Amino acid sequence: MESPFKSTKGLRHVWSALHYSLDGLRAAYRNEDAFRQEVWIALIAVPVALWLGDSALERALMIGSVLLVMVVELLNSAIEAVVDRVSLERHPLSKRAKDIGSAAVFMALLNAAVVWALLLLG
């Protein structure tokens, strides 16, 4: 059985998916302080990576680590939104889901710091 929400196919599906993605990015930027901060950091870090990276691989690793932080932040924000949609009551499983999402963001930030440090100092 297919979802009734997946009615488009082909290029029309790609076009719809693009619009949904842009809606998601706009919603995250408007409603999530951490994502907004990461966007501004990325706007600085990406040109710095292009300037400081000695090779295409180094630049790709530096930029990729920054983008990974943003991807994980989007997923964390989605998890938090779903948990809050289900219930605003305090529940151990809600806390666990939010804490694990937060831990994922922390790991992505740690990864970015290690990548940048190794490439710039090593």
Side-chain angles (χ1 to χ4, degrees), residues 35-70:
F35 183 73
R36 201 166 30 254
Q37 292 166 0
E38 290 158 2
V39 166
W40 286 103
I41 290 169
L43 288 173
I44 295 166
V46 169
V48 168
L50 292 171
W51 179 51
L52 293 178
D54 290 333
S55 67
L57 179 60
E58 286 186 4
R59 291 188 292 273
L61 286 169
M62 293 167 82
I63 293 169
S65 68
V66 170
L67 294 177
L68 178 64
V69 170
M70 296 174 70

Side-chain angles (χ1 to χ4, degrees), residues 87-103:
S87 175
L88 293 175
E89 291 178 23
R90 290 189 182 270
H91 190 280
L93 291 176
S94 297
K95 180 180 180 349
R96 186 187 315 167
K98 288 184 173 191
D99 288 351
I100 291 170
S102 180

Side-chain angles (χ1 to χ4, degrees), residues 69-88:
V69 170
M70 296 174 70
V71 168
V72 175
E73 185 65 53
L74 287 168
L75 294 171
N76 181 47
S77 297
I79 290 167
E80 288 183 354
V82 169
V83 168
D84 290 345
R85 166 67 175 90
V86 170
S87 175
L88 293 175

Side-chain angles (χ1 to χ4, degrees), residues 58 60-63 65 110-121:
E58 286 186 4
L61 286 169
M62 293 167 82
I63 293 169
S65 68
L110 185 61
N111 175 68
V114 168
V115 167
W116 279 68
L118 288 172
L119 292 175
L120 294 177
L121 303 174

